[in-house]
Amino acid sequence: MGISKKRKINQYKRIFAAVIAVLGVCVLTICILTTENISDMTQAAKITIIIGGCVVFGIAFIIAVILDRAAGHYECRECHHHFQPSIAAYLLGMRSPTKRYLKCPKCGKRNYCKVIFSKEHCE
Ligand SMILES: [Zn+2]
C-alpha cells in the first residue's frame, strides 16, 4: 500500500471520527429537547432518556477519540522520534490542529509534537 493511500485512509478516519462526534452531540441534544417538550412524561422516563442520550454521547466520544488517535502519529521536536501517545496522554494533551503537547517516550521531554498522518517513518 502506498504512502498516499495510507494518508487518505487516515484522513477518512479523522472525518469519520468528526462525524461520529457530531452525531453523538445531536443524539444528546434531541434527548434533552424531547424531555423538555413532552409534558405528559413521568420524571423516571425523562431521566431514562437523558441517561440514554449521555451514554450514546459517551460511546460516540470514545469511538471518535480512538479513531482520531489511530489516524496520526506524533513527532518529537527535540529528538524527532515518532510515536503514538496513550489515550490518556492524548486526551490530556493540549492541542492545535497540527500539534499536541505530549511527553516524548524516547527523550522524556514535553513539547508540542507535530502530527504526522502517515506511518512511513514509524518505529
Ligand atoms: Zn524526544
Side-chain angles (χ1 to χ4, degrees), residues 76-81 83 103-109 111:
C76 172
R77 289 171 85 180
E78 297 287 333
C79 66
H80 302 285
H81 176 61
F83 63 98
K103 187 181 175 185
C104 171
K106 199 175 180 185
C107 67
K109 284 181 181 155
N111 58 68

Side-chain angles (χ1 to χ4, degrees), residues 57-72:
F57 175 74
I59 291 167
F61 183 75
I62 290 164
I63 292 170
V65 165
I66 290 168
L67 279 174
D68 193 55
R69 175 177 163 269

Side-chain angles (χ1 to χ4, degrees), residues 14 68-69 71-77 80-85 90 95-102 105 112-118 122:
R14 299 202 108 204
D68 193 55
R69 175 177 163 269
H73 277 238
Y74 294 84
E75 187 190 274
C76 172
R77 289 171 85 180
H80 302 285
H81 176 61
H82 288 219
F83 63 98
Q84 194 170 31
Y90 175 89
R95 71 172 293 181
S96 76
T98 56
K99 286 173 193 145
R100 189 177 283 273
Y101 193 73
L102 294 165
Y112 281 96
C113 299
K114 206 169 80 183
V115 183
I116 295 143
F117 292 111
S118 58
C122 253

